[in-house]
């Protein structure tokens, strides 16, 4: 079985997230999604609209996702790759080169982002609408 892992906050789920998850799943048989827990988001200066538990529930309902785990810190990626016997580590291409350190353990693939959509864009668009 070929195991794939990806990481993210996955807040305000949108088509870009679905495209990433679908393409990640196409690279293997079993997709693990590590989502930043609320404490880790706070450490990064990010605030998700949905709680970790809500985001986890949403992701678990997506057919491409086999397992959702918490991401608690930057350093856990190498540990996860080893623990879950990962074959392919997947991230969006906005992170190109940032996770090449796990190439020692598995393949690293940076997938193109879906143009014109992001959680940041959605939040900005909503703020603009409220300020009209």
């Amino acid at each position: 079985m070929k195991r794939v892992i990806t990481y993210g906050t996955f807040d305000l789920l949108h088509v870009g997230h679905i495209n990433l998850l679908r393409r990640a799943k196409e690279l293997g048989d079993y997709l693990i999604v590590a989502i930043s827990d609320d404490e880790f988001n706070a450490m990064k200066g990010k605030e998700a609209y949905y709680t970790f538990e809500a985001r986890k529930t949403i992701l678990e309902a997506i057919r491409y996702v086999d397992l959702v785990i918490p991401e608690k810190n930057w350093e856990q990626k190498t540990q996860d790759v080893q623990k879950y016997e990962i074959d392919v580590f997947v991230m969006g291409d906005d992170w190109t080169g940032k996770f090449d350190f796990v190439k020692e353990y598995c393949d690293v693939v940076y997938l193109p982002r879906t143009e014109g959509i992001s959680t940041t864009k959605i939040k900005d668009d909503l703020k603009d609408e409220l300020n009209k």
Side-chain angles (χ1 to χ4, degrees), residues 12-59:
L12 301 181
L13 196 69
H14 54 72
V15 70
H17 291 132
I18 299 301
N19 287 339
L20 175 74
L21 296 170
R22 177 183 43 78
R23 290 182 293 169
K25 179 65 177 231
E26 289 170 354
L27 296 173
D29 306 300
Y30 191 85
L31 177 60
I32 300 171
V33 180
I35 58 172
S36 302
D37 68 13
D38 297 328
E39 293 78 17
F40 186 41
N41 272 339
M43 285 176 17
K44 294 188 289 185
K46 290 177 105 178
E47 185 178 350
Y49 179 80
Y50 290 112
T51 65
F52 167 80
E53 286 301 326
R55 291 179 285 122
K56 182 176 185 285
T57 298
I58 291 166
L59 282 170

Side-chain angles (χ1 to χ4, degrees), residues 6-10 14 16-17 20 23 44 46 74 89-100 108-115 117-121:
T6 192
Y7 289 79
T9 300
F10 294 95
H14 54 72
H17 291 132
L20 175 74
R23 290 182 293 169
K44 294 188 289 185
K46 290 177 105 178
W74 290 111
F89 181 102
V90 175
M91 291 297 287
D93 65 1
D94 52 326
W95 291 97
T96 297
K98 300 279 195 255
F99 299 107
D100 287 354
V108 177
V109 176
Y110 299 100
L111 295 173
R113 291 178 60 96
T114 302
E115 288 189 37
I117 188 71
S118 71
T119 300
T120 301
K121 182 180 181 332

Side-chain angles (χ1 to χ4, degrees), residues 58-119:
I58 291 166
L59 282 170
E60 288 172 337
I62 297 171
R63 68 180 175 178
Y64 307 117
V65 177
D66 296 295
L67 177 65
V68 178
I69 61 172
E71 179 185 25
K72 297 178 177 289
N73 57 64
W74 290 111
E75 296 78 25
Q76 94 178 52
K77 289 174 178 64
T78 301
Q79 297 165 1
D80 289 345
V81 166
Q82 293 173 314
K83 177 181 178 179
Y84 295 101
E85 300 176 352
I86 299 302
D87 299 292
V88 184
F89 181 102
V90 175
M91 291 297 287
D93 65 1
D94 52 326
W95 291 97
T96 297
K98 300 279 195 255
F99 299 107
D100 287 354
F101 61 89
V102 297
K103 284 183 176 180
E104 178 180 339
Y105 307 99
C106 64
D107 293 333
V108 177
V109 176
Y110 299 100
L111 295 173
R113 291 178 60 96
T114 302
E115 288 189 37
I117 188 71
S118 71
T119 300

